[in-house]
Amino acid sequence: MNENEKIKIFIADNSEETTSEIIEYFENNKRYEIVNSCKDGKTALAEVENTPVDVLITDIVLAGSDGFVLMENLKEKLGSKMPKIIVTSSLSHEGFINKALSLGASYFMIKPYEMANLESRIEDVLGLKEPSKDKAVLQKDYKTMRTKIVEEKISNVFITVGIPAHIKGYQFLREAIKMAIDTPDIINSITKRLYPSIAEKFETSASKVERAIRHAIEVAWNRGKIENINSLFGLKVYNQNEKPTNGEFIALVADKMLMEGLGN
């Protein structure tokens, strides 16, 4: 961003007090411009979609439609042109934070917060200052939250396809998918890199890892949840007699996660 360009901010918040406080803080700073503000998600969507905005500051609780719906719609309509999003809310449940980050929010700030901290976060998301210790901590927090989101989604996939948590292949398969998300090209070196890496972590052999993963996939197929599996991946490519290889299954789940924006 050019140093002479104003940072355009849009506020979507159900609280008039919060909105007024943000406007009052930034209105005398020539570096910023408050484009507009509103209380409801539908108005915010229409305005942000049609007005150049650098940063959207939104609460989760909005009139009409909530902040999550707003982010989902912006992601669908604007894609990579979506503004940077800072979610601010008094709802600090971990699930809300994880969901906000998974939908594209750059930061989640818990109310109440200092306006100076909000300005600092805006500078962070726009890359207007050098990385600081504070930012490093936030990046670490984001990585932790991302890991939890990925693990939760993998668990949901396993439940859907019928892989029970008590069998050995469950943990091995989970680790394999996480590795494929973080390093997609590892799927091309399953026997040389993926299995040995998992084996080392769990203090076992690569051959046992391979057999356990194969068993986990066979259990899912034997349970007959083929429709669930096809529905999950959006493709009707399997039937009861067509099981994917270990690599195919790992790649399918990892690709699904990557398409949902959960890559690094």
Side-chain angles (χ1 to χ4, degrees):
M1 175 176 284
N2 190 300
E3 288 186 5
N4 297 319
E5 288 183 66
K6 286 194 172 185
I7 298 169
K8 296 178 173 60
I9 299 173
F10 190 96
I11 307 164
D13 200 300
N14 204 29
S15 166
E16 291 184 4
E17 182 180 351
T18 298
T19 300
S20 297
E21 191 176 356
I22 295 173
I23 293 173
E24 183 179 350
Y25 181 85
F26 286 105
E27 67 180 352
N28 295 321
N29 190 324
K30 294 181 180 180
R31 187 77 175 91
Y32 299 90
E33 176 188 346
I34 303 296
V35 174
N36 210 341
S37 63
C38 68
K39 293 183 178 182
D40 67 282
K42 289 183 179 179
T43 301
L45 175 63
E47 294 208 28
V48 173
E49 185 182 356
N50 297 295
T51 307
V53 173
D54 298 308
V55 180
L56 167 64
I57 301 169
T58 182
D59 198 341
I60 293 174
V61 179
L62 300 172
S65 62
D66 62 33
F68 294 138
V69 173
L70 172 59
M71 286 188 284
E72 287 171 350
N73 288 332
L74 284 174
K75 192 172 184 179
E76 179 183 344
K77 292 177 179 293
L78 299 181
S80 61
K81 295 181 180 179
M82 188 167 68
K84 298 295 184 182
I85 298 175
I86 296 176
V87 175
T88 69
S89 179
S90 57
L91 302 173
S92 58
H93 187 277
E94 185 178 327
F96 293 131
I97 298 173
N98 290 345
K99 186 169 184 178
L101 294 174
S102 70
L103 289 174
S106 296
Y107 283 111
F108 190 107
M109 298 185 69
I110 298 171
K111 290 182 177 181
Y113 52 84
E114 296 293 330
M115 288 296 123
N117 288 340
L118 176 60
E119 182 179 7
S120 180
R121 299 296 167 263
I122 291 172
E123 291 179 351
D124 279 339
V125 301
L126 294 177
L128 299 178
K129 64 180 183 180
E130 293 298 317
S132 62
K133 181 179 179 182
D134 184 45
K135 185 173 181 180
V137 171
L138 287 164
Q139 288 174 332
K140 183 179 179 181
D141 289 345
Y142 173 80
K143 187 175 181 180
T144 299
M145 288 178 183
R146 173 190 166 275
T147 298
K148 289 182 179 178
I149 295 168
V150 169
E151 290 181 345
E152 181 179 336
K153 285 185 173 291
I154 292 173
S155 295
N156 289 337
V157 168
F158 288 178
I159 291 170
T160 301
V161 303
I163 299 175
H166 67 272
I167 62 176
K168 287 183 180 179
Y170 183 97
Q171 292 297 336
F172 296 162
L173 193 52
R174 174 195 287 271
E175 191 66 25
I177 293 166
K178 286 163 60 178
M179 290 174 67
I181 292 170
D182 292 335
T183 313
D185 68 345
I186 201 170
I187 204 69
N188 299 317
S189 304
I190 288 183
T191 56
K192 291 183 178 180
R193 293 170 58 198
L194 190 142
Y195 292 152
S197 296
I198 297 172
E200 183 178 357
K201 179 172 181 177
F202 290 91
E203 299 181 344
T204 186
S205 67
S207 60
K208 287 182 178 178
V209 169
E210 180 180 11
R211 288 197 300 271
I213 290 177
R214 167 51 37 191
H215 176 251
I217 294 171
E218 288 176 349
V219 167
W221 255 252
N222 291 337
R223 289 188 170 195
K225 295 189 176 183
I226 307 304
E227 287 305 314
N228 287 3
I229 293 164
N230 288 328
S231 174
L232 182 71
F233 297 119
L235 298 168
K236 293 191 175 181
V237 294
Y238 296 115
N239 60 44
Q240 191 66 42
N241 298 316
E242 293 177 323
K243 302 184 185 72
T245 65
N246 289 5
E248 286 172 345
F249 187 82
I250 293 165
L252 273 171
V253 180
D255 285 347
K256 177 178 172 61
M257 303 294 165
L258 289 169
M259 288 178 66
E260 293 175 355
L262 291 176
N264 286 324

